[in-house]
Amino acid sequence: MEKEFLEIQGIPAVLYGQHSDKIYLFLHGKCGYKEEAEAFAKMACAAQYQVLSIDLPGHGARKETQDACNPWTVVPELKMVMSYLASRWEGISIRANSIGAYFAMLAFENIQKALFVSPIVDMEKLILDMMSWAGVQECTLKEKGEIPTKFGETLSWRYLTYVREHAIHNWHCPVCILYGGKDHMTSRETVRAFARKYGAALTVMEQGEHWLHTPEQLAVLTSWEGENV
């Protein structure tokens, strides 16, 4: 499988596969990196696609930079990457993990297909849930702006406000979701509601977690990708 490292207006990227008019943009989740796409790329390239994967701000080759992985930073970058793709490929699809899927739903509209793994489909609810876990009232967060939590997340009033002011796009393309039954970030009711609204094909891995990492979970992921690419 061919592999080329490149930069798209300063964003580190890797392109997999021989020339094709079809491509998947791979977006990792929190603590991820662009090279995570390689296993997916082997399958997609065998199906005559290319795969482009990028490092989101503060991740991968950008880990030592001061770039913040928030939507007002990421969304403009993704729109620029999409312009790059649209100028070179005819058919563009998405394969995204977790918050990468949320960013994709904010940034993109007209794509051919979306494969989402453990997607954050309701960011406002997730933030409100984290506020509840931390015992933080909305008025307190508004007053302080940011509040660190014991579970490693920093609650942000600006982030919550952005989420409320920027709805995700309506998704009219085919959407396939792989969801872990033990996902602690998104409830089963929330992901089912999203699937109903957008007609998404929802696959539930009952023993799956938000981060799919065990050999058994990865085997299910590989099988699911093969069925839906």
Side-chain angles (χ1 to χ4, degrees):
M1 180 176 61
E2 294 184 9
K3 178 167 62 175
E4 176 188 359
F5 289 92
L6 64 152
E7 286 194 354
I8 304 171
Q9 294 192 23
I11 299 173
V14 57
L15 176 66
Y16 297 95
Q18 296 181 342
H19 175 74
S20 172
D21 60 357
K22 304 181 297 181
I23 193 165
Y24 270 92
L25 173 62
F26 185 100
L27 298 176
H28 62 74
K30 184 178 179 181
C31 301
Y33 50 93
K34 62 185 179 296
E35 291 84 358
E36 282 184 21
E38 186 153 340
F40 172 75
K42 289 178 181 178
M43 183 180 304
C45 292
Q48 309 306 311
Y49 286 88
Q50 289 183 277
V51 175
L52 180 81
S53 183
I54 65 171
D55 283 326
L56 293 175
H59 292 74
R62 306 173 72 181
K63 198 169 185 178
E64 302 306 319
T65 69
Q66 298 301 310
D67 300 322
C69 195
N70 52 53
W72 53 91
T73 300
V74 174
V75 169
E77 288 191 355
L78 291 185
K79 289 183 176 181
M80 182 270 295
V81 171
M82 182 58 71
S83 294
Y84 172 88
L85 294 175
S87 69
R88 292 164 173 80
W89 286 272
E90 294 181 8
I92 303 171
S93 298
I94 303 294
R95 162 67 174 84
N97 294 331
S98 187
I99 197 170
Y102 172 67
F103 290 146
M105 290 187 282
L106 283 175
F108 306 139
E109 293 184 75
N110 300 315
I111 61 172
Q112 289 198 338
K113 190 172 190 178
L115 306 182
F116 292 152
V117 177
S118 303
I120 304 297
V121 296
D122 190 338
M123 182 60 79
E124 180 182 8
K125 184 178 187 306
L126 176 57
I127 293 173
L128 294 176
D129 285 345
M130 289 193 293
M131 289 169 61
S132 176
W133 302 338
V136 172
Q137 298 294 320
E138 194 165 316
C139 58
T140 304
L141 183 59
K142 182 177 181 180
E143 177 185 351
K144 294 189 175 182
E146 291 188 348
I147 299 177
T149 67
K150 292 181 179 180
F151 47 85
E153 299 290 342
T154 297
L155 300 171
S156 164
W157 177 253
R158 182 181 180 186
Y159 207 126
L160 178 58
T161 301
Y162 181 98
V163 168
R164 287 174 169 170
E165 293 177 349
H166 297 79
I168 63 175
H169 293 299
N170 289 323
W171 285 73
H172 303 295
C173 70
V175 178
C176 301
I177 297 172
L178 180 61
Y179 171 81
K182 298 181 179 180
D183 192 323
H184 66 288
M185 304 290 284
T186 300
S187 72
R188 192 180 298 242
E189 293 74 18
T190 298
V191 75
R192 280 178 171 170
F194 177 90
R196 286 194 300 268
K197 182 175 182 179
Y198 295 107
L202 175 62
T203 300
V204 178
M205 185 196 316
E206 292 296 345
Q207 298 305 313
E209 304 159 81
H210 184 74
W211 175 39
L212 305 180
H213 62 287
T214 68
E216 295 78 13
Q217 292 168 357
L218 293 177
V220 173
L221 170 60
T222 299
S223 176
W224 176 84
E225 288 174 332
E227 293 171 0
N228 290 290
V229 164

